[in-house]
Amino acid sequence: MSTAIAVPRSSFQRVRGAAVLLGPAFVAAIAYVDPGNVASNISAGAQFGYLLVWVIVMANIMAALVQFLSAKLGLVTGRTLPEVVRDRSSRPVRLAYWGQAELVAMATDLAEVVGGAIALNLLFGLPLLVGGIITGVVSMALLAVQNRRGQKPFERVIIGMLAVIAIGFMASVVISPPSVSGTLGGLTPRFSGTESVLLAAAMIGATVMPHAIYLHSGLSRDRHGHAETPAVRTRLLRITRYDVGLAMLIAGAVNLSMLLMAANTLNGRDDVDSLESAHAAVRDALGPGAALLLAVGLLASGLASTSVGAHAGAMIMGGLLRRHIPLLLRRLVTLIPALLVLAVGLDPTRALIISQVVLSFGIPFALIPLVRFTSDRALMGDATNHRVTSALAWLIAAVISALNLLLIYLTVTGA
């Protein structure tokens, strides 16, 4: 009898032990549901209906592979991606590389703070500048949790906010289900003019985010340590696959919900050109409850993502330059560009979309070294990428680079 009881108990313990190891990918996944995603996805659905559904699906598939490779690099080498770049490049290259990474980090921060400010304006009528300051202060409090209590409590807070984000943005799709035929038709890759290419680049930049590529290698290393023995490495990599898969499934569902809601509710309306007008349109079409959930989801998105972004920026600087600025001080400094955008009165929604295009241009700088390093047998040993994996990762880098070049061409020629 005791033997019969021991078997399910052992199975439960294995499942419970595996579940305890989940978490780093969910923190990184916050980058995929930040306010830049909200602006890009809602704009895409409002302007082009279901046309760019395929971009959401493709971007999340890309992100799943990229995030696994980043986590694998950290687990196998015991170093973050920025640290490996530093160790394998000259000082001038490191400085130039850090410069572009900081530009990308600023674009990330701008989107997240502006998004939080818009949400506070929608919920409480606060001026955008005041909302931006409050977003920055709350993000500092979240970073203090990570500083004082370690990564696990920080993960729990961020995962809780991810749940709020998911409910906030998926509620509208449940209230008013989108067209099944329209959704399936949107899986066919195609564009419709320069603006659709711009939005596609923004959507990809908002999903396969450079700072998340850098960050995940550090999150996995800090959470699990350096997996030195083959048995430990195999187990951790298997758990990481589940971690990344679940996190990207949630992030992908949230992103798709944003676009489908806009395609179903906002497409064809001439008065939807900002997040504020989109919120008003949702209130008119679906009621105040749906509009409230949308604004709450946007606020949680801004608060969580700006904390994760600041953490990534500190890790990038430490890895590349071996210089560590206190995280809260860095948070204060990187807050300034976003507050300036709010202070001078620039269109916040357009600023969000352009910031995501900047992120898209930064992806190859993070992705190409990642693929190179994880394909290097001398560095990765028996955890080196399979040839098929490397081929797919290189294809992702090529597709994103080609999309950026097409965007430049269309913008310059005005096609």
Side-chain angles (χ1 to χ4, degrees), residues 36-56 178 182-183 186 195-196 199-200 203 255-270 272-275 278 281-282 353:
N37 291 82
V38 180
S40 301
N41 295 333
I42 290 181
S43 295
Q47 293 183 44
F48 297 102
Y50 299 96
L51 178 74
L52 299 178
V53 166
W54 67 274
V55 177
I56 294 282
T183 303
E195 186 67 15
S196 67
L199 284 171
M203 292 160 70
N255 278 317
L256 186 58
S257 295
M258 296 177 197
L259 187 144
L260 294 181
M261 178 276 293
N264 184 42
T265 306
L266 310 180
N267 184 233
R269 296 185 57 145
D270 297 329
V272 180
D273 56 0
S274 66
L275 285 177
V282 169
I353 294 174

Side-chain angles (χ1 to χ4, degrees), residues 30-37 104-119 131-132 135-136 139 206 209 211-212 298-312 331 334-335 338 342 351-352 355-356 359:
I30 286 292
Y32 312 131
V33 290
D34 79 338
N37 291 82
V104 167
M106 283 191 289
T108 302
D109 211 41
L110 186 149
E112 293 156 352
V113 174
V114 169
I118 293 174
T135 301
S139 69
M209 296 188 76
H211 79 280
L298 178 61
L299 178 59
S301 169
L303 295 176
S305 58
T306 192
S307 304
V308 171
H311 184 40
R331 163 75 281 187
T334 56
L335 191 61
L342 296 175
L352 279 174
S355 73
Q356 302 312 293
L359 295 182

Side-chain angles (χ1 to χ4, degrees), residues 9 24 48 91 131-132 143 164 170 178 185 219 241 247 259 297 330 338 388-389 414:
R9 185 179 179 184
F48 297 102
R91 179 176 174 78
L143 288 171
V164 174
M170 297 176 73
L219 290 173
R241 288 189 185 94
L259 187 144
R330 180 181 175 86
V388 174
T389 302

Side-chain angles (χ1 to χ4, degrees), residues 289-341:
L292 175 63
L293 289 172
L294 180 68
V296 169
L298 178 61
L299 178 59
S301 169
L303 295 176
S305 58
T306 192
S307 304
V308 171
H311 184 40
M315 191 200 70
I316 291 168
M317 174 178 279
L320 287 171
L321 303 183
R322 289 183 177 171
R323 294 184 179 179
H324 296 275
I325 296 176
L327 200 54
L328 297 182
L329 176 60
R330 180 181 175 86
R331 163 75 281 187
L332 186 62
V333 172
T334 56
L335 191 61
I336 294 174
L339 295 181
L340 287 175
V341 168

Side-chain angles (χ1 to χ4, degrees), residues 154-359:
F154 181 65
E155 284 179 6
R156 294 190 189 104
V157 172
I158 296 300
I159 290 172
M161 298 189 82
L162 178 60
V164 174
I165 295 167
I167 293 170
F169 289 116
M170 297 176 73
S172 295
V173 176
V174 175
I175 294 171
S176 179
S179 164
V180 175
S181 60
T183 303
L184 294 177
L187 294 173
T188 303
R190 62 195 189 279
F191 294 110
S192 179
T194 304
E195 186 67 15
S196 67
V197 178
L198 174 68
L199 284 171
M203 292 160 70
I204 291 176
T207 303
V208 191
M209 296 188 76
H211 79 280
I213 299 175
Y214 297 121
L215 178 65
H216 205 162
S217 58
L219 290 173
S220 295
R221 190 271 313 274
D222 294 344
R223 179 71 138 77
H224 303 305
H226 180 195
E228 298 185 17
T229 64
V232 172
R233 183 183 306 139
T234 299
R235 179 170 182 258
L236 288 178
L237 289 177
R238 183 175 65 251
I239 296 300
T240 297
R241 288 189 185 94
Y242 291 123
D243 194 25
V244 171
L246 288 171
M248 291 313 305
L249 182 63
I250 294 172
V254 173
N255 278 317
L256 186 58
S257 295
M258 296 177 197
L259 187 144
L260 294 181
M261 178 276 293
N264 184 42
T265 306
L266 310 180
N267 184 233
R269 296 185 57 145
D270 297 329
D271 57 344
V272 180
D273 56 0
S274 66
L275 285 177
E276 294 90 341
S277 58
H279 175 265
V282 169
R283 184 182 59 224
D284 293 341
L286 303 180
L292 175 63
L293 289 172
L294 180 68
V296 169
L298 178 61
L299 178 59
S301 169
L303 295 176
S305 58
T306 192
S307 304
V308 171
H311 184 40
M315 191 200 70
I316 291 168
M317 174 178 279
L320 287 171
L321 303 183
R322 289 183 177 171
R323 294 184 179 179
H324 296 275
I325 296 176
L327 200 54
L328 297 182
L329 176 60
R330 180 181 175 86
R331 163 75 281 187
L332 186 62
V333 172
T334 56
L335 191 61
I336 294 174
L339 295 181
L340 287 175
V341 168
L342 296 175
V344 300
L346 296 178
D347 179 0
T349 301
R350 192 65 178 178
L352 279 174
I353 294 174
I354 295 301
S355 73
Q356 302 312 293
V357 177
V358 174
L359 295 182

